Amino acid sequence: MNDKDVILSVRNLQTHLRTRRGVVKAVDGVSFDVRRGETLGIVGESGSGKSMTAFSIVQLLPRVGRVVGGEVIFNGEDLLKKSPREMEKVRGKHVSMVLQDPLTSLNPVFRTGDQIAETIRHHLKDAPDPKGKAVELMRQVRIPAPATAYRYYPHQMSGGMRQRVLGAIGVSCEPEFLIADEPTSALDPTIQAQYLDLLKDLQKQYNLTIIFITHDFGIVATICDTVAVMYAGKIVETGPVRDVFQRPSHPYTEALLKSLPSLEEKPKRLPSISGQPPMPHEMPTGCRFAPRCPYKFDKCEEYPPDTHVSPTHISACWRSVK
Amino acid sequence: MKWYILRRVVQSAFVLIAVTTMIFVLSNFLADPAVILLPEDAQKEDYERLRHDLGLDRPAIVRYGIYMKALATGDLGESIRRVGYKVTDLIWTPLGNSAKLALAAMIFTVCTGLPLGIIAALNRGKPLDYISRIFAVAGLVTPGWWLGIIMIILFSVKLRLLPAAGTGDIKHYILPATVLGTHAMAGLARLARSSMLEILDSEYIKMARAKGLPWRTVVWKHALRNALIPVVTFSGLYFALLITQAITIEVVFAWPGLGRLMFDSLGSQDYVVVQGTIMLAAFIVVMFNLLVDITYGWIDPRIRYT
Amino acid sequence: MTAMKSSSTPGGGAAVAMPPQTTSMSGRKVLLEAQNLKKHFAVGRAGFLGKPAGHVRAVDGVDFTISAGQTIALAGESGCGKTTLGNVLLRLELPTEGALLWEGKDIVTLTKEERQGYRRSVQAVFQDPWSSLDGRMKVQDLVGEPLVINEKQMSRAQVLERVAELMDQVGLQEVHMERFPHEFSGGQRQRIAVARALSLNPKVIILDEPVSALDVSIRAQVMNLLKELQEKYNMAYFMISHNLATARFISDTVAIMYLGRFAEYAESELFFKKPLHPYSQALVSASLPVEFENRRQRIVLQGEVPSPINPPSGCRFRTRCPQVMDICSEIQPELMEVARGHRVACHLYK
Ligand SMILES: Nc1ncnc2c1ncn2[C@@H]1O[C@H](COP(=O)(O)OP(=O)(O)OP(=O)(O)O)[C@@H](O)[C@H]1O
Ligand SMILES: Nc1ncnc2c1ncn2[C@@H]1O[C@H](COP(=O)(O)OP(=O)(O)OP(=O)(O)O)[C@@H](O)[C@H]1O
Ligand code: SF4
Ligand SMILES: [Mg+2]
Ligand SMILES: [Mg+2]
């Protein structure tokens, strides 16, 4: 655990969105470190701020969004202090991102292959054959007949094919750091496994660092080193994947793991967490999971501190405070 | 694409038939040309004779057949005031003049409206946005004839820079084209602004930025082409309207175009000429509509392939 | 080329259509029947007016039925034609060849009234709860919209009453009716989409990856809701899903698709006990478990993914199949019943 290894350190990140009903604290004091060559998985509730955390790092927030506090230290520099011009140089080449929605993230009026080649042309000025490289990338992400598919417009591709084009763009310029926001949500298990293999290869080849946002715990168990679980704008638990999945410490993590359907059996009903997640403008003041937590007790009226369960495993739950 | 074009052509043909039929019905049942033509003190026999001469005493369905047949061969009839002149001959020169004026106005519109809208969108909420929006709204609410007169007073009478009337070299185009295009400019600017704003908020623009492309590539390549889709529709339709709805402006600037012809013919109650001009206008609108659809298919691949 | 022709498919093409089935094997009423259904797209035109370079055989000859109360889960390789098949079932696309029968009638030739009836009876829920609902409309208008369009005789008050009823059925409250979609969580939005689909009392709901954008707990809630609603109203579900565990939970029948055709079609219990087709086996083996100890051995498919423009001769899976034999490149295997309720298209099971 040498501090020099840390390629990205996010400290107390706070991102607010101004909406009609008031300010939404989409990311509310998030901190984590990612070491070079490792993979951090982020899982958690829909709408808990996973994507907003990612967009805060690369500064691509929606118009209503602002980072209001914290630091994002990448290779020793605070990205939040960089000008828009300087950020253009960081994105794509150093930190690249795969967006979540495969259906709307490609430009409808350009050929998909050209959208890959464009990125290569821009960042790798001396690449001999950007078009050929784009075709090769399409082959690597298992798009059938890549030379023909190069000429397809987005609407001619299936959801999963478009997602693979996004995935190809993400790794096209050999980035140091990849933020992949649910990059396999529209893929079937075999193609998904092959994309994960590709990422692992790149990691071996040149020590690529990855943040992998997903709802799929199987993926996290397969390729992530550490995992962070988010609920309502905060990280509620983080640690090595094995520790977190085998000995979950936060009740939300525990409940999530219980909701997973299995291939082996068919229950009458799937267990799920009772109640609804809190509305963004009506956050509980104490622990945000308290209204739905089976273990709730009087202390939970106050927000719990981040507590070490082990040197690497942290949970924000009063039950862990000894 | 071939099928797409064919389909649009057939649709356009149907629209044309419907429109011409409507014009026929309106001009034959709403007003009786024979009454218009005769002096107030005319006798009943004169009336009957004139109706016979004009062929108005035949059953409507027969007249309709004759009318459609003539139309199909491009014959719009003869003027009833300027005897011996075919409407098509009367229309030809004015049409050319109107088209030239409309083209000049269109160039003005696109060259001002598009940048105005895009500048507004790129500076959303900042002073430049408000300035260009005020500009656009002003253009929308200013009546063309009023602006025309003001500009004539200013540039022709006071400053003596530009000619006030008639057609000729490029100088003659500046005033009427500006005045004619102002309204459209305002509309185009608003359209360009709103479509650009929507696009700038889209996921694929976010993606283009995530790839690390510089802002100007994002705007001028990725956003612009998409923003052009509604702009093309608008421009095409508006061009047709410009040619046909330029009456007031042509009158103000004494421009010898279609609008003037129609205006004059209305004055002399030359219904055949009026009807011919309207028909031509309808034809132009439908044709441009078709052209727009085809261009549209060319810009937007999603349309091309369905 | 000839090997791909549909000559040997049961049903034998559009010309000699089979008589429609009225009840399924389990005795339930058959609602929809696909007979050698195909949907092809022209692609790769050279320039603006050019000839298409080829045809994507997105759906290339499938036969199945959907009966009342049945849930079919459709899984398969990304790009194999699942969404296209769903769109044909929704009548958003018309078949290129073959027939789709609705209560015995071909959907292409339905009269205007019958088309309206069809549109009511077959509803859809799409993948993305964030973009599939128009953000400018209130929930009551979103849910009531199909009623306003299709039930012209209903007054506004009646529509609102029905909307309130629907909200209750999907576990939302009446106070939510006045809100906009962005004020809801993803799971709640998907509930809204379900309420909307339910509004016209449909007989079939097509669900295209309805929960893949949701977290696992919300996923469980939505799946439970779908199951309850089905028990109550006996609707049929046709659900496209990449998540086999979810498919297992909700379905009674599983269809596995590969390159436009069904590779396997079986009762879900039988399928998950023992998937037979080599592609199905690879698919199941690649589903990632959360366990760390004794993980399933993944069958890795080698070779390029073939293109649906030029599918391989014989068995379409032969180019990547670990158990390929000589016959596989010569004859296209048909979907055959190898055990009661278990059909598979593979020469290994002759
Ligand atoms: N453009 C926007 N305007 C207003 N609110 C937004 C916008 N985008 C996101 N939000 C809100 O911000 C919060 C965080 O959203 P975010 O997209 O980060 O969630 P997420 O964890 O990525 O969820 P998912 O798993 O569904 O992708 C949510 O409450 C969401 O409703
Ligand atoms: N409009 C279209 N024009 C041309 N080809 C198309 C069109 N729509 C789909 N396709 C092609 O049809 C095939 C099937 O697409 P479809 O969307 O049905 O796949 P899918 O099984 O739903 O995949 P996914 O799991 O990735 O969503 C793909 O090869 C795709 O490229
Ligand atoms: S038919 Fe042959 S190639 Fe096809 S799946 Fe069976 S064994 Fe494999
Ligand atoms: Mg997200
Ligand atoms: Mg699909």
Side-chain angles (χ1 to χ4, degrees):
Chain A
M1 266 269 285
N2 183 343
D3 247 12
K4 260 202 218 137
D5 282 326
V6 172
I7 181 171
L8 177 79
S9 172
V10 173
R11 294 286 115 211
N12 196 26
L13 182 70
Q14 288 171 298
T15 301
H16 291 183
L17 304 171
R18 283 169 286 116
T19 69
R20 226 182 313 185
R21 290 213 173 208
V23 171
V24 171
K25 297 179 179 176
V27 182
D28 198 11
V30 160
S31 305
F32 58 83
D33 291 334
V34 194
R35 270 168 294 163
R36 193 180 294 280
E38 288 200 349
T39 303
L40 166 73
I42 302 183
V43 297
E45 186 220 351
S46 297
S48 58
K50 301 184 294 296
S51 298
M52 287 305 145
T53 304
F55 287 136
S56 306
I57 296 171
V58 292
Q59 317 230 340
L60 284 178
L61 289 169
R63 221 172 359 85
V64 296
R66 274 283 162 293
V67 175
V68 296
E71 289 171 87
V72 176
I73 312 290
F74 177 72
N75 276 337
E77 288 182 290
D78 190 350
L79 294 185
L80 298 178
K81 297 220 171 75
K82 287 196 180 268
S83 71
R85 256 288 160 73
E86 290 167 327
M87 275 314 288
E88 280 171 8
K89 303 226 163 62
V90 173
R91 286 194 290 258
K93 181 77 194 89
H94 298 285
V95 184
S96 93
M97 186 162 174
V98 178
L99 299 199
Q100 177 173 1
D101 186 357
L103 298 185
T104 56
S105 297
L106 289 170
N107 196 328
V109 300
F110 295 109
R111 297 185 191 279
T112 47
D114 286 335
Q115 297 189 48
I116 304 176
E118 178 187 32
T119 324
I120 301 169
R121 226 170 263 136
H122 180 70
H123 289 293
L124 311 176
K125 296 259 163 15
D126 47 355
D129 178 16
K131 235 174 156 160
K133 181 152 195 235
V135 171
E136 184 46 35
L137 277 162
M138 290 174 100
R139 187 188 320 278
Q140 281 177 11
V141 295
R142 308 277 157 173
I143 290 176
T148 317
Y150 184 99
R151 295 177 55 80
Y152 283 4
Y153 289 96
H155 76 278
Q156 293 175 300
M157 288 193 163
S158 79
M161 289 164 79
R162 288 185 233 181
Q163 189 160 61
R164 281 175 273 164
V165 172
L166 293 177
I169 294 175
V171 298
S172 61
C173 301
E174 305 194 348
E176 279 180 84
F177 197 104
L178 174 71
I179 303 177
D181 194 354
E182 302 188 33
T184 60
S185 60
L187 302 182
D188 68 273
T190 54
I191 301 271
Q192 168 176 298
Q194 277 158 340
Y195 186 67
L196 299 184
D197 288 346
L198 174 67
L199 291 184
K200 276 194 236 167
D201 281 351
L202 296 177
Q203 218 153 22
K204 265 198 225 112
Q205 261 176 43
Y206 63 89
N207 225 10
L208 171 69
T209 314
I210 303 172
I211 291 184
F212 204 109
I213 301 173
T214 181
H215 289 305
D216 190 328
F217 286 53
I219 293 181
V220 178
T222 309
I223 74 154
C224 296
D225 302 294
T226 46
V227 61
V229 183
M230 283 190 80
Y231 187 80
K234 295 199 176 263
I235 291 182
V236 293
E237 181 163 6
T238 173
V241 175
R242 224 172 239 259
D243 294 2
V244 174
F245 282 10
Q246 289 180 336
R247 285 180 301 281
S249 180
H250 196 282
Y252 176 64
T253 317
E254 190 186 319
L256 266 189
L257 287 163
K258 272 196 201 139
S259 321
L260 290 175
S262 123
L263 264 184
E264 274 72 39
E265 60 205 83
K266 179 172 180 167
K268 263 212 82 58
R269 279 178 66 84
L270 291 172
S272 70
I273 310 172
S274 61
Q276 292 291 332
M279 294 293 293
H281 340 270
E282 310 154 4
M283 281 294 171
T285 47
C287 171
R288 296 189 171 170
F289 189 57
R292 306 167 77 190
C293 180
Y295 309 109
K296 183 177 69 173
F297 58 113
D298 48 358
K299 263 201 180 159
C300 304
E301 299 290 322
E302 228 180 289
Y303 196 81
D306 286 346
T307 311
H308 280 273
V309 187
S310 81
T312 48
H313 187 170
I314 302 172
S315 164
C317 171
W318 282 112
R319 292 200 316 153
S320 311
V321 182
K322 291 285 150 32
Chain B
M1 189 71 196
K2 246 178 301 182
W3 288 111
Y4 169 73
I5 292 178
L6 194 71
R7 218 168 49 222
R8 306 302 305 154
V9 169
V10 171
Q11 277 169 8
S12 303
F14 273 111
V15 171
L16 267 185
I17 292 173
V19 169
T20 45
T21 308
M22 213 160 72
I23 292 172
F24 173 81
V25 170
L26 285 180
S27 59
N28 276 275
F29 294 105
L30 293 187
D32 187 343
V35 176
I36 296 172
L37 281 175
L38 288 171
E40 299 220 332
D41 55 352
Q43 298 300 303
K44 181 109 170 91
E45 297 83 76
D46 297 334
Y47 175 73
E48 292 300 341
R49 188 158 29 83
L50 185 60
R51 274 180 68 88
H52 182 78
D53 287 350
L54 292 174
L56 291 175
D57 53 350
R58 278 183 278 179
I61 188 77
V62 176
R63 276 185 287 135
Y64 179 69
I66 296 173
Y67 160 88
M68 288 306 266
K69 195 172 149 212
L71 266 190
T73 57
D75 180 4
L76 293 173
E78 254 177 49
S79 165
I80 49 177
R81 290 287 186 210
R82 290 151 89 175
V83 182
Y85 280 95
K86 282 198 162 270
V87 175
T88 33
D89 298 335
L90 284 177
I91 279 178
W92 207 236
T93 329
L95 175 65
N97 286 335
S98 287
K100 278 186 248 166
L101 178 58
L103 191 68
M106 203 65 233
I107 293 171
F108 167 78
T109 303
V110 172
C111 292
T112 53
L114 194 59
L116 213 59
I118 291 175
I119 288 168
L122 294 179
N123 294 284
R124 179 178 191 158
K126 298 193 190 134
L128 260 181
D129 184 16
Y130 291 109
I131 293 170
S132 65
R133 274 158 78 190
I134 289 170
F135 220 71
V137 171
L140 212 58
V141 297
T142 313
W145 56 267
W146 181 80
L147 186 65
I149 292 169
I150 296 290
M151 297 213 8
I152 289 177
I153 293 176
L154 190 65
F155 291 100
S156 312
V157 183
K158 286 254 164 20
L159 299 175
R160 300 188 170 283
L161 285 176
L162 298 166
T167 179
D169 66 358
I170 195 139
K171 270 189 174 172
H172 284 87
Y173 284 86
I174 295 177
L175 280 185
T178 310
V179 172
L180 187 55
T182 300
H183 206 80
M185 170 202 78
L188 189 71
R190 279 169 51 148
L191 184 76
R193 177 178 183 273
S194 69
S195 83
M196 197 71 181
L197 279 181
E198 203 179 313
I199 287 159
L200 287 177
D201 267 348
S202 71
E203 288 296 305
Y204 57 82
I205 290 302
K206 206 184 251 179
M207 184 65 209
R209 296 179 62 200
K211 294 200 288 195
L213 299 180
W215 182 236
R216 59 181 147 58
T217 316
V218 172
V219 171
W220 299 113
K221 183 174 170 193
H222 283 263
L224 191 65
R225 176 127 180 218
N226 283 284
L228 280 182
I229 294 171
V231 168
V232 165
T233 325
F234 176 88
S235 306
L237 285 182
Y238 218 92
F239 185 63
L241 287 181
L242 280 180
I243 297 183
T244 56
Q245 295 198 335
I247 300 182
T248 39
I249 304 304
E250 290 187 357
V251 172
V252 170
F253 287 98
W255 190 270
L258 270 190
R260 265 286 295 281
L261 178 67
M262 182 136 129
F263 185 78
D264 293 345
S265 307
L266 271 173
S268 62
Q269 298 193 322
D270 192 342
Y271 91 101
V272 183
V273 176
V274 173
Q275 181 180 302
T277 341
I278 295 177
M279 201 86 70
L280 188 69
F283 183 75
I284 292 171
V285 172
V286 172
M287 281 304 129
F288 270 91
N289 216 337
L290 179 66
L291 216 67
V292 167
D293 281 346
I294 293 174
T295 325
Y296 210 45
W298 178 61
I299 295 187
D300 188 349
R302 281 164 296 184
I303 292 175
R304 195 184 316 167
Y305 284 98
T306 40
Chain C
M1 259 324 251
T2 44
M4 294 168 350
K5 285 262 166 66
S6 60
S7 53
S8 54
T9 329
V16 255
M18 300 259 286
Q21 298 181 28
T22 48
T23 49
S24 70
M25 284 188 306
S26 49
R28 291 187 284 202
K29 184 174 177 234
V30 171
L31 299 169
L32 272 170
E33 179 180 358
Q35 292 184 344
N36 189 28
L37 199 62
K38 297 189 181 180
K39 177 75 204 179
H40 296 174
F41 297 100
V43 287
R45 281 170 216 276
F48 193 46
L49 292 170
K51 264 209 169 119
H55 289 269
V56 173
R57 299 155 166 266
V59 177
D60 204 21
V62 298
D63 298 79
F64 66 102
T65 60
I66 303 179
S67 313
Q70 187 183 17
T71 301
I72 300 181
L74 177 64
E77 188 158 61
S78 164
C80 70
K82 302 179 295 295
T83 298
T84 307
L85 178 55
N87 286 346
V88 174
L89 294 182
L90 284 166
R91 217 177 173 283
L92 295 175
E93 311 254 20
L94 290 177
T96 312
E97 219 185 292
L100 181 62
L101 307 183
W102 169 246
E103 293 179 335
K105 281 200 193 113
D106 192 334
I107 60 153
V108 177
T109 56
L110 295 180
T111 64
K112 195 164 168 240
E113 284 88 61
E114 285 170 333
R115 270 210 303 275
Q116 264 172 8
Y118 187 76
R119 219 168 287 144
R120 274 164 203 238
S121 305
V122 185
Q123 293 283 324
V125 176
F126 294 106
Q127 171 177 11
D128 187 357
W130 313 103
S131 61
S132 62
L133 297 173
D134 183 347
R136 282 163 290 203
M137 286 168 80
K138 283 185 186 166
V139 168
Q140 58 189 29
D141 300 315
L142 282 167
V143 177
E145 191 179 49
L147 292 169
V148 173
I149 294 170
N150 287 288
E151 306 276 357
K152 298 238 159 50
Q153 79 291 352
M154 277 176 93
S155 69
R156 170 123 184 110
Q158 281 172 318
V159 169
L160 288 182
E161 197 179 315
R162 171 88 177 119
V163 171
E165 204 180 295
L166 288 162
M167 297 290 280
D168 185 51
Q169 277 168 4
V170 298
L172 293 171
Q173 287 146 27
E174 257 189 83
V175 293
H176 291 136
M177 285 168 57
E178 295 270 348
R179 301 200 178 167
F180 290 91
H182 70 262
E183 298 176 55
F184 292 90
S185 69
Q188 286 173 320
R189 279 191 234 199
Q190 217 47 325
R191 282 165 190 264
I192 296 168
V194 172
R196 188 181 146 96
L198 281 178
S199 62
L200 295 164
N201 297 319
K203 294 179 182 163
V204 182
I205 302 186
I206 313 287
L207 305 118
D208 196 346
E209 300 184 38
V211 293
S212 63
L214 304 174
D215 74 54
V216 287
S217 164
I218 294 174
R219 236 178 240 187
Q221 285 180 2
V222 174
M223 296 315 285
N224 286 335
L225 170 71
L226 287 172
K227 217 168 185 181
E228 275 163 34
L229 290 169
Q230 187 174 47
E231 278 154 21
K232 236 197 251 168
Y233 300 109
N234 201 35
M235 287 162 295
Y237 291 145
F238 183 85
M239 188 176 100
I240 298 169
S241 173
H242 284 312
N243 188 316
L244 294 177
T246 310
R248 153 135 227 205
F249 169 72
I250 194 135
S251 68
D252 41 44
T253 309
V254 175
I256 303 294
M257 202 167 173
Y258 186 82
L259 223 56
R261 294 176 66 91
F262 285 170
E264 190 161 354
Y265 188 91
E267 282 171 24
S268 124
E269 282 310 301
L270 297 173
F271 177 84
F272 284 104
K273 210 176 285 157
K274 196 161 184 278
L276 294 178
H277 197 283
Y279 174 67
S280 311
Q281 289 165 355
L283 194 66
V284 172
S285 82
S287 293
L288 301 171
V290 189
E291 290 80 40
F292 296 88
E293 266 63 64
N294 34 8
R295 299 183 68 149
R296 260 189 308 273
Q297 188 62 39
R298 181 178 134 213
I299 303 168
V300 180
L301 295 178
Q302 305 294 340
E304 263 192 46
V305 182
S307 147
I309 299 177
N310 274 314
S313 66
C315 172
R316 292 180 181 212
F317 187 52
R318 73 169 164 89
T319 54
R320 296 158 82 202
C321 178
Q323 302 177 55
V324 60
M325 305 168 290
D326 288 343
I327 184 181
C328 301
S329 58
E330 284 150 26
I331 300 173
Q332 169 161 301
E334 293 304 332
L335 206 53
M336 305 248 273
E337 189 146 55
V338 292
R340 207 182 136 72
H342 202 148
R343 294 197 278 163
V344 59
C346 170
H347 292 305
L348 287 171
Y349 304 92
K350 272 280 159 71

